Amino acid sequence: MPHSESPAESDDSPIPMIDVDQQQQEDAVAESTTADVPEPQEPADEDVDMVDSNATTHTHATTQALEAESRAVSQAEAQDHQETPVSEAATSAPSESKPATGVKLEELFDEMDSDEDDEFPTTKAAKREPASSPDLLSSQSDMEIDLHEASDPEVMRTFYQRLFPWRYLFQWLNHSPTPTNDFGHREFAFTLQNDAYLRYQSFATSDLLRKDVLRLMPSRFEIGPVYTANPRDRKTLRNSSAFRPLSKELCFDIDLTDYDDIRTCCAKASICQKCWQFITMAIKVVDTALREDFGFKHIMWVYSGRRGAHAWVCDKKARALDDQKRRAIAGYLEVIRGGAQSGKKVNLRRPLHPHLVRSLDILKQHFQADVLEAQDPWRTEDQQEKLLALLPSDQKQLVSALRNKWASSPDRPSTLKWADIDTVAKTSTAKNFDTKSLLDAKQDIVLEYTYPRLDIEVSKKLNHLLKSPFVVHPGTGRVCVPIDVKRNLEGFDPLGVPTVQSLIREIDEWKKPEIKNGEDEKHTADWEKTSLKGYIEFFRSFVLALMKDEREVKVKREREEEGGGGGEGMEF
Ligand SMILES: [Zn+2]
């Protein structure tokens, strides 16, 4: 069904919304927002003294063991997938979870807690475009046919049954091949086909999650925090404070709609390679800061399926951050507020913070080609006034000289206009011309047109939910694949990301390779037959590296506990 109305506002919503848990939810929110906002520029050292350099010691054996373990289970799982008849998977509910028709009404919320992504029905309904609006989509007719199919329950069922990487998703959230509370106490939230929003779902294993997804066929599902208790048991706890969020990945959300005032190629939900460069720049800046300033290692970037990207910082120390520290990190990275505010967005103190000096170095490389040439943001007279307004207010002579020069050559491209600023300034006859203030203003302009625009609400709260990697965007049919930023950030093409329909075709078209003499026939999982293969392999290696670090930290702590006792003994 079209995602054109948020559940809260939908009069004809087939499932009545009862907000029994509203108060509990509001309490949780209130609790999490009482702390004072800390100094934005100095969160890192004491609060986020992250990475233990000892933890980088490589133990090949561990990796190999994890890989073997993981391979064994995934092969078993792949076979299990193939052998599960559709009808059985669709109708049999796991005993631990509630059957679809018996969903408790109090489980259904009329409030979307996850407003991070207005590609979907949320409280930001006013900004949203209907997914099927033809001007937002490719005009290719086969694409349109595909889009109708993307919401087809059978297409989705096949995807979740045969292609979705359940095992790796489990290992990613569980941090170990065997089930722990990191997975079991983790909240999942489902957006059902009727737009009902089902929160506080939890599962002991990946298979139970998979079965419930196949049973409920949500249009997407989101991942929330790990709680102190099983989210399904939250009402049986005597003390309501016994149920609180414990940990979650630190997340970031970048969306191209926040660039609508500076991108000229597209607007709203549509994107192209040109404006995707803003996302590429943003990923570079944020990823670099998270690694260099905060010491995080396990950062996964995921395409949001249409016009943005999410970051999941998975390091154990990132997951344990409380709201105050999350707000501090978000504040550190936030220089430009997204949205439609008019006027100058950047006015930075000098000397620039080292994070901004470094970001400027990264962004300068993109400014000429990706902004001035590709976007040509100041071509028209209206647009050029925006540029002139960003020049120092005390240099009226320069501004009027530029305005006169450009009046005689309409449609002068932005690259030349940018160069004109220096040329005209050099010939300026003004006394005491302040070259420093002009340089500062030009740096501010570069940052205004390139610096990441973050939706920091996503980053600030431990209990914020974010769409899971590898779900399918219902509007585009594209899979929310991870982006290998180390190897192929520049080469990532959001429009080339496989759609659920193309993947299912690829499974059908796949041909078994010929078996040479003496070779055993290998089992090939369905995802290996498709262009999802590279993305899942990348995800698998990311998850293995994370699990390896977690295991080493655990082993190290256990050793320290044993050794620590001995050490104390030595002092006697
Ligand atoms: Zn574009």
Side-chain angles (χ1 to χ4, degrees):
M1 77 189 286
H3 292 262
S4 55
E5 281 185 298
S6 82
E9 292 159 6
S10 176
D11 292 327
D12 56 355
S13 180
I15 296 187
M17 298 295 172
I18 296 176
D19 58 353
V20 173
D21 274 356
Q22 183 95 30
Q23 189 56 50
Q24 192 183 338
Q25 204 179 354
E26 281 168 6
D27 289 347
V29 171
E31 191 182 307
S32 67
T33 51
T34 46
D36 290 327
V37 179
E39 276 294 306
Q41 292 295 326
E42 39 189 32
D45 292 348
E46 52 182 290
D47 293 333
V48 205
D49 182 17
M50 294 300 155
V51 168
D52 182 351
S53 56
N54 293 330
T56 56
T57 323
H58 288 277
T59 53
H60 244 302
T62 316
T63 314
Q64 283 170 350
L66 284 169
E67 273 169 2
E69 210 166 342
S70 159
R71 246 194 327 270
V73 188
S74 74
Q75 279 173 11
E77 188 189 48
Q79 269 154 12
D80 172 42
H81 286 194
Q82 288 196 327
E83 286 155 15
T84 308
V86 173
S87 57
E88 190 269 331
T91 53
S92 72
S95 55
E96 290 84 345
S97 56
K98 300 165 190 71
T101 49
V103 171
K104 285 185 185 169
L105 292 178
E106 66 266 27
E107 304 275 350
L108 303 170
F109 281 76
D110 63 355
E111 181 176 298
M112 295 290 279
D113 202 35
S114 59
D115 56 356
E116 83 294 343
D117 188 346
D118 61 359
E119 294 160 40
F120 292 100
T122 68
T123 47
K124 294 182 192 168
K127 276 175 74 181
R128 213 175 49 243
E129 295 293 325
S132 53
S133 178
D135 60 324
L136 305 177
L137 305 168
S138 162
S139 56
Q140 292 166 8
S141 58
D142 61 334
M143 180 77 175
E144 281 167 21
I145 291 162
D146 274 359
L147 282 164
H148 287 296
E149 290 170 0
S151 56
D152 182 335
E154 282 314 307
V155 171
M156 291 307 296
R157 191 183 309 283
T158 306
F159 176 75
Y160 283 125
Q161 207 158 30
R162 300 176 66 176
L163 290 167
F164 194 91
W166 296 108
R167 174 57 49 181
Y168 304 131
L169 185 88
F170 166 79
Q171 292 175 340
W172 170 50
L173 298 172
N174 188 63
H175 315 110
S176 160
T178 48
T180 70
N181 286 346
D182 277 10
F183 191 81
H185 289 183
R186 172 79 75 156
E187 178 184 359
F188 291 87
F190 296 159
T191 303
L192 304 184
Q193 302 282 339
N194 61 13
D195 277 354
Y197 191 53
L198 207 56
R199 282 200 58 189
Y200 299 116
Q201 306 300 297
S202 62
F203 304 92
T205 65
S206 65
D207 201 46
L208 292 174
L209 168 63
R210 174 178 163 263
K211 280 181 177 153
D212 237 17
V213 168
L214 288 171
R215 180 173 66 87
L216 296 169
M217 276 295 133
S219 56
R220 63 164 171 168
F221 65 88
E222 295 177 324
I223 296 169
V226 179
Y227 284 89
T228 45
N230 189 325
R232 289 187 193 271
D233 298 338
R234 71 196 182 285
K235 285 183 194 153
T236 64
L237 301 167
R238 257 181 225 163
N239 185 349
S240 64
S241 66
F243 183 71
R244 55 189 167 79
L246 265 186
S247 67
K248 202 204 67 191
E249 293 72 14
L250 173 64
C251 294
F252 294 91
D253 179 21
I254 308 163
D255 191 307
L256 274 174
T257 44
D258 286 328
Y259 291 77
D260 277 356
D261 64 324
I262 56 170
R263 59 175 180 156
T264 57
C265 51
C266 307
K268 295 179 180 171
S270 48
I271 66 160
C272 69
Q273 264 302 336
K274 280 186 190 175
C275 51
W276 183 257
Q277 294 313 309
F278 287 115
I279 302 291
T280 301
M281 294 178 228
I283 291 177
K284 279 188 189 173
V285 165
V286 173
D287 193 82
T288 305
L290 290 170
R291 288 176 200 279
E292 293 185 4
D293 301 349
F294 297 94
F296 296 124
K297 282 169 65 185
H298 300 283
I299 306 167
M300 179 168 64
W301 288 92
V302 180
Y303 175 48
S304 72
R306 177 168 273 172
R307 60 191 173 193
H310 299 153
W312 295 79
V313 186
C314 305
D315 301 55
K316 198 179 181 80
K317 286 185 177 176
R319 303 199 310 266
L321 292 168
D322 63 18
D323 284 349
Q324 189 176 339
K325 288 168 189 153
R326 283 169 202 257
R327 276 202 302 275
I329 295 173
Y332 178 92
L333 293 170
E334 187 185 40
V335 173
I336 296 181
R337 282 165 210 269
Q341 292 153 287
S342 57
K344 197 171 181 182
K345 291 200 169 81
V346 174
N347 199 355
L348 298 161
R349 272 180 301 160
R350 285 349 194 241
L352 284 179
H353 186 282
H355 161 61
L356 287 174
V357 174
R358 180 193 51 212
S359 299
L360 201 53
D361 277 346
I362 295 170
L363 295 167
K364 271 192 296 202
Q365 301 162 25
H366 288 271
F367 184 68
Q368 188 71 30
D370 294 329
V371 177
L372 296 184
E373 287 167 26
Q375 298 292 338
D376 198 1
W378 307 309
R379 181 175 277 269
T380 69
E381 206 177 322
D382 282 353
Q383 288 169 332
Q384 82 186 25
E385 284 304 316
K386 268 175 80 181
L387 170 62
L388 293 174
L390 295 171
L391 293 174
S393 54
D394 55 356
Q395 294 185 11
K396 294 198 172 67
Q397 212 177 336
L398 170 66
V399 169
S400 62
L402 286 168
R403 194 178 280 126
N404 290 339
K405 184 179 173 71
W406 298 340
S408 61
S409 57
D411 286 343
R412 190 167 169 80
S414 301
T415 43
L416 295 179
K417 282 176 175 162
W418 180 247
D420 288 342
I421 297 173
D422 280 341
T423 319
V424 173
K426 269 176 201 153
T427 60
S428 172
T429 53
K431 285 175 191 167
N432 305 321
F433 183 80
D434 189 350
T435 47
K436 175 73 168 66
S437 83
L438 183 61
L439 180 68
D440 290 353
K442 286 181 68 186
Q443 286 179 338
D444 286 357
I445 293 167
V446 173
L447 288 170
E448 174 141 350
Y449 280 82
T450 53
Y451 190 87
R453 298 173 175 213
L454 301 167
D455 177 1
I456 63 164
E457 293 310 309
V458 176
S459 314
K460 286 188 325 196
K461 280 189 192 152
L462 184 53
N463 63 359
H464 202 105
L465 295 131
L466 192 62
K467 184 169 45 161
S468 170
F470 288 104
V471 303
V472 173
H473 189 291
T476 61
R478 289 200 190 95
V479 180
C480 300
V481 292
I483 303 168
D484 186 348
V485 299
K486 277 185 191 153
R487 287 198 204 90
N488 195 28
L489 175 59
E490 305 276 352
F492 182 81
D493 174 14
L495 302 173
V497 166
T499 64
V500 62
Q501 303 91 333
S502 70
L503 290 168
I504 290 169
R505 271 199 301 272
E506 285 172 20
I507 301 179
D508 292 341
E509 286 162 10
W510 183 77
K511 289 195 180 64
K512 218 179 224 179
E514 278 181 36
I515 301 163
K516 289 170 195 154
N517 281 342
E519 268 187 12
D520 288 336
E521 189 180 338
K522 280 188 208 145
H523 171 75
T524 308
D526 282 334
W527 59 265
E528 292 178 288
K529 302 169 185 170
T530 70
S531 48
L532 208 53
K533 184 171 190 272
Y535 299 107
I536 292 184
E537 284 172 345
F538 170 73
F539 185 50
R540 179 175 64 191
S541 64
F542 178 88
V543 172
L544 277 169
L546 177 65
M547 282 202 294
K548 180 171 161 288
D549 264 13
E550 300 274 327
R551 183 176 281 201
E552 280 171 3
V553 168
K554 201 174 155 215
V555 168
K556 191 168 165 267
R557 194 179 302 132
E558 282 164 5
R559 273 203 207 112
E560 274 170 5
E561 278 163 12
E562 289 162 18
E568 278 165 29
M570 297 290 281
E571 287 172 359
F572 288 106

